Amino acid sequence: MSQLKFKSILIACDHAAFSVKQQLVQHLQSTYAISPYNIKIKDLGVYSEDRVDYPDIAKELCHTLLGTDVEDNSKDSLPYDGGILLCGSGIGISIAANRFGGIRAALCHDNYTARMSREHNNANVLCAGARVVGMEVLKDMVDVWLRTEFQGGRHATRVEKIEK
């Protein structure tokens, strides 16, 4: 059993990914919210298939992850250290998330891209497409992502350049 690299995560989606998110939340709670992991998982919604705009969903998760208030950008505590965002393709929500300084959102399609997003890019938000990635692949991707450590070294220099 490998150690998790996150102690608390947020998860959110748009309407296109609602049913997939529900299944993923169930997986996270039954696998990681219990001993020995005891990871804190917060579902930010959506809670139905009613149409929403993915930039609003990304904004809420990113502000919560960064510990800033959505309205005035005031700092709060940082109770979460990672996030998962889902939309139909994963593309729009990953673009929206990467608009926020301090967010490194990676659109992943499989275990390899999930692992590389952590090892090389220190991604703190995993994005995926509910219409693109099957449920079992998505569960495996999230498992890999939660367990993968940032390698640092030459990759740290590159990540620092992104943050400037």
Side-chain angles (χ1 to χ4, degrees):
M1 165 176 53
S2 61
Q3 186 176 0
L4 294 183
K5 304 307 167 193
F6 297 94
K7 293 185 181 0
S8 56
I9 58 167
L10 301 162
I11 185 167
C13 69
D14 74 354
H15 58 282
F18 170 70
S19 64
V20 168
K21 184 210 53 155
Q22 293 300 97
Q23 293 175 63
L24 188 56
V25 166
Q26 204 169 24
H27 168 71
L28 290 167
Q29 289 174 336
S30 65
T31 307
Y32 298 111
I34 59 173
S35 184
Y37 301 115
N38 298 314
I39 191 170
K40 180 179 178 181
I41 301 157
K42 182 168 184 175
D43 181 355
L44 296 176
V46 298
Y47 306 108
S48 74
E49 292 181 347
D50 294 344
R51 192 188 77 73
V52 296
D53 296 326
Y54 60 80
D56 298 331
I57 304 305
K59 180 178 182 179
E60 181 180 0
L61 183 137
C62 292
H63 275 282
T64 304
L65 184 57
L66 294 169
T68 56
D69 183 88
V70 175
E71 297 304 317
D72 66 10
N73 283 335
S74 62
K75 283 285 188 184
D76 196 2
S77 62
L78 297 173
Y80 299 94
D81 50 17
I84 299 169
L85 284 170
L86 306 167
C87 72
S89 67
I91 297 168
I93 209 154
S94 64
I95 291 170
N98 278 313
R99 305 262 318 158
F100 296 89
I103 297 296
R104 292 171 308 282
L107 175 56
C108 299
H109 303 288
D110 53 30
N111 288 348
Y112 177 77
T113 54
R115 185 168 44 87
M116 290 295 101
S117 79
R118 290 288 304 133
E119 284 183 359
H120 291 193
N121 307 113
N122 200 18
N124 55 1
V125 177
L126 171 72
C127 299
R131 295 175 179 153
V132 178
V133 178
M135 193 64 230
E136 293 307 311
V137 172
L138 181 58
K139 287 179 189 176
D140 289 344
M141 254 176 30
V142 169
D143 292 345
V144 166
W145 189 77
L146 289 171
R147 288 179 166 89
T148 301
E149 189 169 353
F150 179 50
Q151 287 183 346
R154 72 182 193 272
H155 305 294
T157 304
R158 295 168 183 159
V159 170
E160 287 169 14
K161 288 181 178 185
I162 293 169
E163 295 299 324
K164 290 182 181 179

